[in-house]
Amino acid sequence: MSASPLHLMNADLHCHSNVSDGTLTPEAVAQRAHGNGVELWALTDHDEVGGQHRARAAAHALGMDYLTGTEISVTFADKTVHIVGLGFDPDDAALVQGLAATRGGRERRARDMAEDLERVGIPNAFEGALRYVGNPDLISRTHFARYMVEIGVCADPHEVFRRYLTEGKPGFVPHRWARLGEAVKWITGAGGVAVVAHPARYDLTPNEEYALFTEFKGHGGVGVEVVTGSHTVAEYQRYADVAREFDLFASRGSDFHDPAESHTDLGTLPDLPGSVTPIWEAVAHRILRA
Ligand code: AMP
Ligand code: MN
Ligand code: MN
Ligand code: MN
């Protein structure tokens, strides 16, 4: 495969609005993406498609092409893995129900997290986090992190995730998300393509990572994020090699959440390496043209 002009398209296929744990509305994310030169955009809120119609309308009003998107939380090898879905029908009943079930345990988990934080002297964290929530169905660790910065427990959200809310630290509550096969099936059943999000973030052993990609492909997954705000430059190369090894399409996305918190802004990542095939070739027929 040689590099084609498609590699140079400014596609940003991973980011969040306040429909999940981002801070901007879908319309404001669209504006920012467009302002930064994004030509093909997907809003990928966690476990939620409630912002999809707004995102598409905002993209088209700006003359930007759009792919529907979501980022599904999955439990694999006792770790949380994220699967991005692109180009699906956002009104597909099985997908909508599957995402609702995946979101379902979040409030209980958040109350348990708050109880655990109380034990280390951080009171009222549930109520505090809730004040940052744009969608009551989607209270996440990010909202807790913002509250803990507000009350001065930590200087920024990254410090919160270093000292709290992660395995072995105060405020961590283990949770069972969707199964890998379910998440891929919801996406592909709704006409979309499934992509392994930011694989370098999971701390998987080589065997676990091999199993993840093998099982993912077995379920019908077709893509992997190569250039993402969560990867280093060395990891772009590593996962470009993984894409070729497993015959997967490659994706590109900032994982933008907030102008101040996110170190990678929308549409500002390097292009995909010429050695891989962009996921937007696999899903070209599902692009909603402006
Ligand atoms: P949840 O889905 O409630 O488990 O929250 C996961 C979210 O927390 C991710 O989507 C990120 O937005 C955020 N997050 C996780 N780890 C970190 C980290 N180390 N630094 C900053 N944000 C993080
Ligand atoms: Mn997030
Ligand atoms: Mn993620
Ligand atoms: Mn994300």
Side-chain angles (χ1 to χ4, degrees), residues 59-284:
H60 286 180
L62 292 160
M64 195 163 52
D65 289 339
Y66 190 71
L67 274 169
T68 54
T70 187
E71 181 178 17
I72 306 181
S73 310
V74 159
T75 300
F76 180 85
D78 279 332
K79 289 174 179 143
T80 300
V81 166
H82 287 170
I83 302 296
V84 162
L86 297 169
F88 50 81
D89 169 7
D91 301 317
D92 180 87
L95 172 75
V96 168
Q97 274 166 34
L99 293 180
T102 306
R103 289 193 300 272
R106 278 186 180 270
E107 181 176 336
R108 178 71 256 160
R109 169 192 186 230
R111 290 187 187 279
D112 293 346
M113 284 167 60
E115 215 171 279
D116 201 53
L117 288 171
E118 186 128 29
R119 266 179 237 136
V120 296
I122 301 169
N124 306 321
F126 180 79
E127 294 73 18
L130 211 51
R131 284 197 280 108
Y132 288 88
V133 166
N135 170 0
D137 270 4
L138 216 117
I139 184 162
S140 94
R141 287 185 292 161
T142 319
H143 303 115
F144 279 80
R146 292 188 183 127
Y147 170 67
M148 289 162 74
V149 172
E150 176 198 315
I151 62 171
V153 169
C154 291
D156 57 58
H158 292 289
E159 187 188 339
V160 177
F161 283 100
R162 268 197 312 277
R163 293 175 48 202
Y164 300 93
L165 310 188
T166 50
E167 189 143 15
K169 309 280 167 65
F172 179 73
V173 172
H175 195 72
R176 284 258 147 230
W177 300 107
R179 283 185 305 212
L180 179 65
E182 291 178 311
V184 174
K185 194 179 71 198
W186 297 332
I187 295 163
T188 54
V193 289
V195 176
V196 175
H198 45 61
R201 279 235 320 245
Y202 304 130
D203 272 337
L204 298 172
T205 65
N207 279 347
E208 285 169 344
E209 191 178 90
Y210 185 85
L212 171 65
F213 285 112
T214 304
E215 290 183 34
F216 174 72
K217 277 208 73 158
H219 291 301
V222 296
V224 56
E225 283 186 349
V226 169
V227 174
T228 129
S230 300
H231 284 179
T232 63
V233 171
E235 286 161 351
Y236 301 160
Q237 198 48 59
R238 171 164 158 56
Y239 287 97
D241 292 345
V242 166
R244 282 193 301 171
E245 181 188 343
F246 286 89
D247 196 19
L248 293 166
F249 292 93
S251 194
R252 173 182 189 262
S254 57
D255 210 354
F256 175 85
H257 285 70
D258 170 79
E261 284 171 19
S262 298
H263 56 83
T264 306
D265 205 342
L266 289 150
T268 63
L269 285 166
D271 294 316
L272 287 174
S275 58
V276 296
T277 307
I279 189 79
W280 47 97
E281 282 190 20
V283 77

Side-chain angles (χ1 to χ4, degrees), residues 3-84:
S4 75
L6 268 183
H7 279 88
L8 306 179
M9 173 184 263
N10 193 341
D12 195 323
L13 305 181
H14 187 151
C15 61
H16 301 273
S17 74
N18 65 357
V19 173
S20 65
D21 62 347
T23 56
L24 305 182
T25 61
E27 290 80 7
V29 182
Q31 287 238 326
R32 193 175 180 96
H34 182 254
N36 286 354
V38 171
E39 297 162 284
L40 174 63
W41 177 51
L43 176 69
T44 56
D45 278 310
H46 296 284
D47 306 324
E48 177 63 277
V49 289
Q52 290 305 306
H53 290 287
R54 288 169 63 191
R56 174 191 178 172
H60 286 180
L62 292 160
M64 195 163 52
D65 289 339
Y66 190 71
L67 274 169
T68 54
T70 187
E71 181 178 17
I72 306 181
S73 310
V74 159
T75 300
F76 180 85
D78 279 332
K79 289 174 179 143
T80 300
V81 166
H82 287 170
I83 302 296
V84 162

